[in-house]
């Protein structure tokens, strides 16, 4: 026997799989594995987080922005359970993740021993590969299969590792005669699937002769920018972006109409409402009401997961394949659409839309509108910045106001919609790209859920900049209660947090921005600082995330909520009236039908009454 343990075998195998970093929090249920990590430092970097959920979410962020396997670990029992939201995030966000958890002693499992939880049972509905290590001779086979499955399916794999087996000598335990050493490997080849030529030809024929083609691109289209724009040019097609595909083409591309759905743009909505053909590339955007009506448009869908073809919209031709490779095969077979009217209308609409966003993003009203720091952030971001968004009203501000450039990257928990994802995603991204600017774009509701892990940035000298919108309310829930259900807001208020003092208490820097006229310069200054920092943007809690087009039932439900006793209802109503009248002269505004002179006078009156309401 040697001092080489089963944990050493596991860690050595991770190195063969190319793993360079692992996120986790130690405990007595994982200490054998920790010792193996200690012996392999610095071959594998260990990022010590404060909460296991952060470990898993940081590994998801790392995987999303690199395409590599993200790895995390936790102790047994409660530590393992804390990992589960991050594992769920990996599953629904399609990120390759390996989670390693401790487990109680193998011969005490099922005896109500300390932290005796069958964690492999608990995660069975989340992990695509889920296995309990049965002995030292089991380790290599399990690790290889777990890593390969996570990468191949872009999903979480889980290994439960009993405490005593972790520290057992590597050459101990029995080996079945057919478990021959050396018959498994760390070899893996990422698949690049291209549909058969006949199917490509069918897709080209389906799109031929169509003069109003729209492209809906999602996360699966990331990395296919050149191919998307080439096909868009041939088809004269605007590119509508699901929010998880925000960086698949830059927001200054002449082909894109930006986001769709609740956080979307008016030109995106119009493109899908009016198109006679739809090309879906790497998207299963869940807001079905925004797709073309059944029978309205011929539909071609490209997705590397065949089971997702036809999931949201009826499909005439399904192409199971990698987005970039399939688009490259499709493009030469497409006829050029010489009728550019549909594309020109979308481009004209986007010019009007950006004018409206600039108007909203440069408001000088106090309290500061949340659109202002989102718009000002564009000037502070580096050309290759990585922005990690979050769930809440900040999702709307990121979708509409952050103008992603060609070498910038963006992601958030867009399908799992987990709050508090921005900070751990940013930790994972900064570890992966230490030389790039990384920004966590979040709200106070999300950030305070996992604020302790800002110390992870401090401890590991990760220069993450956290831009937090402070309004002391769960804004998205507040507006959903009123606009979707017609109920008064309830249970959404939060005690205020001084994020600047917190940052300074952690040994980092902080800045508070309340004046909209100082916002742009303040963000530039803060994002240029060395080291981690928190920028607290104090914004108006009563500013709603307006839809691209206001629907009648939304107005009726909001009115009902105000009548039924929503707190500050007079202030909310006056704010909305002022906002809309302020922008009445903008073509893309819901208030564009209001004559400009009436809008200007009405806005002044509403502003006077709003200020009086603030005083009251």
């Amino acid at each position: 026997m040697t001092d080489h343990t089963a944990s050493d075998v596991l860690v050595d195998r991770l190195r063969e799989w190319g793993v360079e970093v692992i996120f986790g929090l130690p405990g007595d249920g994982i200490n054998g594995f920790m010792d193996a990590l200690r012996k392999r430092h610095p071959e594998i970097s260990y990022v010590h987080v404060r909460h296991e959920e952060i470990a898993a979410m940081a590994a998801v962020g790392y995987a999303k922005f690199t395409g590599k396997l993200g790895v995390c670990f936790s102790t047994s029992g409660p530590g393992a359970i804390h990992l589960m939201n991050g594992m769920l995030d990996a599953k629904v966000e399609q990120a390759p993740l390996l989670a390693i958890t401790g487990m109680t002693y193998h011969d005490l499992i099922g005896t109500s021993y300390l932290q005796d939880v069958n964690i492999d049972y608990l995660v069975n509905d989340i992990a695509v590969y889920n296995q309990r290590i049965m002995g030292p001779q089991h380790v290599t086979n399990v690790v290889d299969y777990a890593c390969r499955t996570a990468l191949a399916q872009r999903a979480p794999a889980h290994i439960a590792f009993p405490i005593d087996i972790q520290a057992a000598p590597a050459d101990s335990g029995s080996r079945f005669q057919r478990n021959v050493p050396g018959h498994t490997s760390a070899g893996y080849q990422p698949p690049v699937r291209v549909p058969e030529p006949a199917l490509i030809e069918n897709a080209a024929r389906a799109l031929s002769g169509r003069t109003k083609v729209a492209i809906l691109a999602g996360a699966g289209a990331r990395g296919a920018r050149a191919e998307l724009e080439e096909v868009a040019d041939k088809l004269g097609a605007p590119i509508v972006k699901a929010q998880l595909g925000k960086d698949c083409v830059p927001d200054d591309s002449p082909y894109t109409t930006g986001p769709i759905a609740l956080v979307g743009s008016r030109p995106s909505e119009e493109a899908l409402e009016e198109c006679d053909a739809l090309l879906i590339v790497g998207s299963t955007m869940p807001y079905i009401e925004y797709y073309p009506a059944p029978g309205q448009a011929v539909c071609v869908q490209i997705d590397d997961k065949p089971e997702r073809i036809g999931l949201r919209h009826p499909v005439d031709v399904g192409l199971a394949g990698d987005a970039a490779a399939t688009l490259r095969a499709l493009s030469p077979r497409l006829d050029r659409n010489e009728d550019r009217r549909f594309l020109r209308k979308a481009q004209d609409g986007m010019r009007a839309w950006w004018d409206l966003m600039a108007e909203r993003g440069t408001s000088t009203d106090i309290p500061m509108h949340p659109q202002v720091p989102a718009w000002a952030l564009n000037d502070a971001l580096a050309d290759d910045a990585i922005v990690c968004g979050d769930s809440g009203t900040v999702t709307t501000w990121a979708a509409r106001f952050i103008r992603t450039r060609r070498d910038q990257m963006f992601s958030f928990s867009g399908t799992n919609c987990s709050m508090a994802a921005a900070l751990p995603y940013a930790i994972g991204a900064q570890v992966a790209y230490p030389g790039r600017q990384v920004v966590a774009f979040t709200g106070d509701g999300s950030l305070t859920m996992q604020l302790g892990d800002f110390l992870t940035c401090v401890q590991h000298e990760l220069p993450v900049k956290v831009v937090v919108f402070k309004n002391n309310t769960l804004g998205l829930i507040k507006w959903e209660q009123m606009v979707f259900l017609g109920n008064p807001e309830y249970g959404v208020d939060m005690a205020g947090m001084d994020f600047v003092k917190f940052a300074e208490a952690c040994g980092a820097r902080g800045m508070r921005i309340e004046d909209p006229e100082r916002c742009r310069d303040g963000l530039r200054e803060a994002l240029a600082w060395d080291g981690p920092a928190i920028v607290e943007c104090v914004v108006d809690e009563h500013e709603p995330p307006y839809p691209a087009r206001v629907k009648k039932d939304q107005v009726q439900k909001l009115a009902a909520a105000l009548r039924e006793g929503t707190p500050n209802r007079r202030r909310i109503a006056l704010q909305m009236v002022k906002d809309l009248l302020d922008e009445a002269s903008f073509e893309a505004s819901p208030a564009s039908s209001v004559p400009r002179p009436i809008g200007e006078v009405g806005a002044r009156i509403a502003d006077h009454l709003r200020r009086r309401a603030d005083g009251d």
Side-chain angles (χ1 to χ4, degrees), residues 134-320:
M134 305 298 287
Q137 310 309 323
H138 196 206
V139 171
T140 302
N141 295 348
V142 167
V143 172
D144 285 351
Y145 205 0
C147 292
R148 191 173 294 112
T149 303
L151 287 164
Q153 298 190 33
R154 295 198 306 273
H158 169 248
I159 296 173
F161 205 176
I163 297 171
D164 51 329
I165 297 177
Q166 292 174 35
D171 56 0
S172 66
S174 61
R175 178 186 286 273
F176 182 59
Q177 62 182 357
R178 289 179 182 165
N179 183 16
V180 181
H183 279 260
T184 181
S185 73
Y188 175 74
Q189 175 61 49
V192 179
R193 179 181 292 175
V194 181
E196 295 178 4
L199 286 173
I200 297 286
E201 195 61 45
N202 288 344
R205 279 199 298 268
L207 297 171
S208 178
R210 304 285 174 164
T211 58
K212 297 180 179 180
V213 185
I215 298 173
L216 174 61
R222 299 177 75 205
R225 174 182 58 81
E227 293 83 358
L228 273 172
E229 291 187 320
E230 180 179 323
V231 169
D233 181 63
K234 275 203 163 184
L235 295 174
I239 301 171
V240 177
K241 297 190 293 184
Q243 183 64 351
L244 280 169
K246 181 174 175 64
D247 59 1
C248 67
V249 294
D251 282 313
D252 61 2
S253 168
Y255 301 103
T256 189
T257 54
I260 186 60
L262 301 172
V263 301
S265 74
R266 184 166 174 171
S268 288
E269 287 192 26
E270 292 172 345
L272 294 186
E273 285 177 354
E274 299 170 13
C275 67
D276 62 9
L278 176 65
L279 174 60
I280 303 175
V281 183
S283 177
T284 50
M285 188 268 294
Y287 300 99
I288 296 173
E289 66 271 27
Y290 289 91
Y291 285 85
Q296 169 192 321
V298 65
C299 181
V300 173
Q301 183 175 354
I302 299 171
D303 204 294
D304 69 348
K305 293 193 172 183
E307 69 272 18
R308 288 178 172 257
I309 291 177
L311 183 62
R312 307 292 187 209
H313 187 75
V315 171
D316 295 278
V317 182
L319 300 176

Side-chain angles (χ1 to χ4, degrees), residues 57-67 89-90 92-95 218-220 222 242-248 251 381 385-391 394-395 398-399 402 404 407-418 420-429 433 436-442:
M57 295 290 262
V60 171
Y62 178 92
K64 274 193 169 190
F65 288 112
T66 64
D89 203 66
V92 299
E93 299 290 316
Q94 300 187 61
R222 299 177 75 205
Q243 183 64 351
L244 280 169
K246 181 174 175 64
D247 59 1
C248 67
D251 282 313
L381 291 174
I386 300 172
V387 180
C388 302
D390 223 324
S391 294
V394 293
T395 308
I402 296 179
T404 305
D407 294 323
Q408 291 176 346
M409 301 173 76
F410 175 90
S411 195
F412 76 123
S413 179
T415 305
N416 194 29
C417 298
S418 177
L423 178 59
Y425 272 28
I427 290 170
Y433 300 101
R436 292 177 68 168
Q437 182 191 65
V438 176
V439 175
F441 186 83
T442 186

Side-chain angles (χ1 to χ4, degrees), residues 97-114:
L97 178 78
L98 175 62
I100 301 164
T101 67
M103 198 167 187
T104 198
Y105 301 90
H106 86 280
D107 55 353
L108 291 174
I109 292 171
T111 67
S112 296
Y113 192 72
L114 193 72

